[in-house]
Amino acid sequence: MLIDTHCHLTDERLLPEVSEVIASAARAGVERLVTVGYDRESSLAGAALADEHAGVWCALGVHPHDASSWTEETGAEFARIAAENAKVVAIGEIGLDYHYDLSPREVQREVFARQLALADECGLPAALHVREAYGDCLAVLKENSSLLGHGVLLHCWSGSPESVREFSAFDAYFAFGGSLTFKGAHKGAESLALVPRDRLLLETDAPYLTPVPFRGRVNRPEYVAYVADKVAEVLGISREEVEEITTENAKRLFKRMK
């Protein structure tokens, strides 16, 4: 069994045929999916999908792009949903993104810290999005280290081998996706080799970052199988071992996932 730990089933490219997308993933051996929110609306929609589909779980969060939309009312609503819905397995995706700066950096940092506090309040891991902001992310994590007791996940990991060492100080999990299959993804392979086996996860980030050999198409959760194949190749282990390791790790991190 494979688990896609990060996808966006509420995206307009997947939602119209979401039942078929989920069924197709299951046929490919991807039996569990975590659909991840990036704002209030997508988070609520993800929670509804998780209620409707046995193989779907969800994460609630406000992406750094949308940090300016954060309100305390949103945080309270997320906390209520997480308390009532056992299929909420994480707070995410949250973090910092300095590539586009769609929200001011100081606002991103403040909202990131508030959502780390929310994750701690809910007893859930935090699923992080970090782009061109590794130093500041590490600083926020250090300042809020007391809030990280339920786990930290680095989604769509593309950082350097040295960054793997730095984030491992927080006992972080690292999820690899389609970018690992791209031509010239040497840094990703070097980082993968350094990730502790018990902290390794798989994802698609569907509909984004479609892996080889489907580049140019809309990404789908079923394609996480191609990421698993690449991980097996890089680590020199069997595909079956990759499945076993990453499934066990996902269940450990997402404690509500049965």
Side-chain angles (χ1 to χ4, degrees):
M1 179 178 71
L2 290 165
I3 297 176
D4 183 354
T5 63
H6 192 114
C7 62
H8 298 282
L9 297 178
T10 61
D11 187 276
E12 61 184 8
R13 288 164 287 182
L14 298 178
L15 187 58
E17 53 182 14
V18 69
S19 294
E20 189 279 329
V21 169
I22 295 167
S24 182
R27 289 193 296 271
V30 188
E31 298 178 13
R32 301 183 183 189
L33 316 175
V34 180
T35 186
V36 178
Y38 53 84
D39 60 10
R40 177 181 178 273
E41 290 72 21
S42 61
S43 294
L44 299 188
L49 279 178
D51 278 339
E52 295 168 9
H53 298 276
V56 177
W57 283 258
C58 67
L60 313 176
V62 173
H63 190 285
H65 285 342
D66 299 283
S68 295
S69 72
W70 171 266
T71 66
E72 291 307 304
E73 289 76 17
T74 296
E77 186 171 27
F78 286 174
R80 177 184 58 78
I81 294 170
E84 295 173 354
N85 189 339
K87 297 195 82 177
V88 178
V89 294
I91 299 299
E93 61 187 289
I94 66 176
L96 303 174
D97 191 317
Y98 291 174
H99 183 72
Y100 293 111
D101 284 329
L102 296 183
S103 288
R105 294 184 180 186
E106 62 273 17
V107 174
Q108 291 188 43
R109 291 190 289 268
E110 179 183 357
V111 172
F112 182 20
R114 291 188 181 187
Q115 292 188 93
L116 289 175
L118 175 63
D120 183 59
E121 175 190 343
C122 296
L124 296 172
L128 309 189
H129 169 104
V130 187
R131 188 176 187 187
E132 298 178 17
Y134 289 107
D136 276 8
C137 182
L138 285 164
V140 173
L141 293 179
K142 289 176 183 176
E143 292 167 4
N144 295 276
S145 58
S146 64
L147 305 176
L148 308 180
H150 303 287
V152 174
L153 162 60
L154 276 301
H155 136 71
C156 195
W157 180 253
S158 60
S160 66
E162 180 56 35
S163 293
V164 171
R165 297 186 182 95
E166 292 173 326
F167 281 98
S168 290
F170 302 101
D171 204 23
Y173 289 72
F174 300 83
F176 288 81
S179 58
L180 185 67
T181 71
F182 297 172
K183 184 178 180 180
H186 305 300
K187 184 173 68 173
E190 293 172 4
S191 294
L192 172 59
L194 291 177
V195 170
R197 296 287 173 89
D198 65 349
R199 292 298 181 267
L200 173 62
L201 297 171
L202 304 175
E203 66 163 76
T204 59
D205 201 21
Y208 309 100
L209 296 174
T210 310
V212 174
F214 300 108
R215 296 289 288 152
R217 302 185 192 179
V218 171
N219 200 4
R220 295 165 60 98
E222 65 199 74
Y223 296 161
V224 79
Y226 293 87
V227 181
D229 288 339
K230 187 64 177 180
V231 169
E233 176 188 327
V234 171
L235 296 182
I237 60 179
S238 69
R239 160 69 179 275
E240 291 73 22
E241 189 171 358
V242 171
E243 291 192 24
E244 181 179 348
I245 289 170
T246 57
T247 295
E248 181 180 340
N249 292 346
K251 290 179 179 180
R252 184 189 317 112
L253 177 64
F254 301 133
K255 294 179 176 60
R256 294 178 168 187
M257 184 177 283
K258 304 298 184 182

